[in-house]
Amino acid sequence: MKLIWDYMKLYWKRITSNMSIKLIGTMCELSLPYILEHIIDDIVPLGSVKLVVYWGLFMTFMAFVTRFLNVTANRLAVRVAADGIKKLRYDLFTKTSNLSGTRFDSFGLASLTSRMTSDSYNVQNFMARVQTMAVRAPIMLIGGIILTLTMDAQLALVLIIMLPILMGVVLFISNRGIPLFDRVQSRVDDVVRIMRENISGIRVVKALSREDHEMDRYKVTNDALAREDIHANRIMAIPGPFMEICLNVGLSIVVLLGAVRVDNGAIEPGVILAFLTYFNVILQAVMGLNRIFVMISKATASADRIALVLSDAPDQLVLDLARGDVPEDVCIRFDHVSFNYFTPAGSEDESARSAEAKGIRSMDKVSDQPIDRNELEKEEGRILEDISFDIKRGQSLGIIGQTGSGKTTIINLLMRFYDATEGCIYVDGRDVRSYEKDGLRNKFGVVFQNDIIFADSIYGNIDFERGLSYKAIRKSADDSGASEFIDRLEGGYEFKAAIHGANLSGGQKQRIMISRALAGDPKILILDDSSSALDYKTDAALRKAIREDYGDATTIMIAQRVSSVMSCNNILVLDDGRMVAYGTHDELLESCELYRKIFEHQMKK
């Protein structure tokens, strides 16, 4: 809840003004039954039609003022909530964008998505409603009690006796609501995860005719969400009927006692009418307080989930790390580096998030059964073990190995998406942990294995808001071979790519992504399986262009094809996270059986 107050404090002047308007409107609303009682008991007996009309018009005026002030306050509250949640979402998006790879995996993409959407909606709804209901409900409750006490203390005691019981029930149920709604939001994470998987993989689902299977899987998760939501709302709904019963019983007692006191001449009939109105006002106020506590339960659960992301510690920057014994001509050094993706042992929730991050599609989480940590470790056991090598400035390194051997992990560690479990990684003689994030990553031009084309023009996809010149973009497109098809597109570089490049072929997308990496004239160029969709001719032309036009750049090329890496200065052969061999193409043919088998298998096809 502290998170919500911190963001609301930014708009305290507007909130104060808004709550003042709501306070005046509520006071005007409270005056209406009192004015009615005055007209019935004091004005009508005088027999003056003029006074009745005058007081009737005054009551009508107060009703209009009440409505105007309440509507104004509600609109202002919505605006403040919209501004507050806009800033909160921006901060959450910024924080999410800067999470380390380990922390991103720990939260999980589905969970981060639901925190950005449904959780932020719960917080926004609370921000909007609390500014008005937190004023109206208490004032109507307290004001109604005070006014009824001034009219007839004995009748007011009936209500006063019931209030502690009602408030006790509300507080007791509300305390149970926070963990219930936290479980609901966890189920929302599950639903978002399955929806995301199916939307992104819809072609695979259709190609394998697995629509029914995926519908069943979604149904299980959706049903689990529905059960949690129904259970939470059923518990939170208990105070409502209980309050209505108590207050209606109290209202009946007031009517009976009031009738006796009117018959005895102790009070006037207008007091009974005003009392009934105030009783209804107090009933609505208590129900309003109940709704506030329900919103507090939802908002607190959601705010805690958001705060967990916002308060996550950033990657530690260690400025005083020793330079290490790295020669001046060495651009990159891996010094006995080991790494494990597995999240350290923790809570079951943390384990579940980690499993989700790794794509483990287990029904255990949906059915509330604990996840088998041994299976989890087995799934997450992709490691690097004791990797050491140097790349000199301007040289190239090819990395080859079977799927899952740790090739991409080396890049993740080099760019500090993750920190090594053991050992050190140096770039330009400095430990990567001593670099500011931008200072390190601005050195790189990179094409990832599962890179993305954005819904933007071809020019925009290559430039990526870096302010590059048209000459640099055109040159990079020529070198990657992309200009061959770009010039044939309608609009050329202004051609609008669809989301994920759906209106482009695989080879066209890869060439655009390579152009993006080359356009910034990087100091270190990384191509992670970026030529898999290129024909041999285009692949060979790309490697030639890199040698001739980007000879000063240190190049790391990850590939499945031996032909893509055989011209590199050195080649690193990985197998199951271990460094099998390191050397030139000719050296590896002589000394590395695994490399020789890969070469013979591919080149004899």
Side-chain angles (χ1 to χ4, degrees), residues 490-502:
E490 183 178 354
Y493 284 86
E494 296 305 316
F495 177 82
K496 183 67 176 289
I499 298 175
H500 295 295

Side-chain angles (χ1 to χ4, degrees), residues 96-140:
T96 300
S97 300
N98 288 282
L99 286 174
S100 67
T102 301
R103 295 305 297 153
F104 192 95
D105 289 349
S106 175
F107 287 112
L109 178 57
S111 181
L112 290 170
T113 301
S114 65
R115 291 171 207 236
M116 184 76 72
T117 52
S118 61
D119 282 317
S120 62
Y121 172 77
N122 288 339
V123 172
Q124 180 181 7
N125 187 48
F126 176 78
M127 284 182 173
R129 301 293 293 276
V130 74
Q131 296 175 62
T132 54
M133 292 181 65
V135 173
R136 186 178 187 277
I139 294 299
M140 295 292 279

Side-chain angles (χ1 to χ4, degrees), residues 33-47 52 55 150-152 262 265-275 278:
Y34 197 86
I35 295 173
L36 178 63
E37 185 270 334
H38 176 65
I39 293 173
I40 294 174
D41 291 342
D42 300 327
I43 302 302
V44 172
L46 296 177
V52 172
W55 279 97
T150 60
M151 291 179 179
D152 191 284
V262 169
I267 56 175
E268 299 293 333
V271 173
I272 298 298
L273 183 60
F275 235 96
Y278 278 124

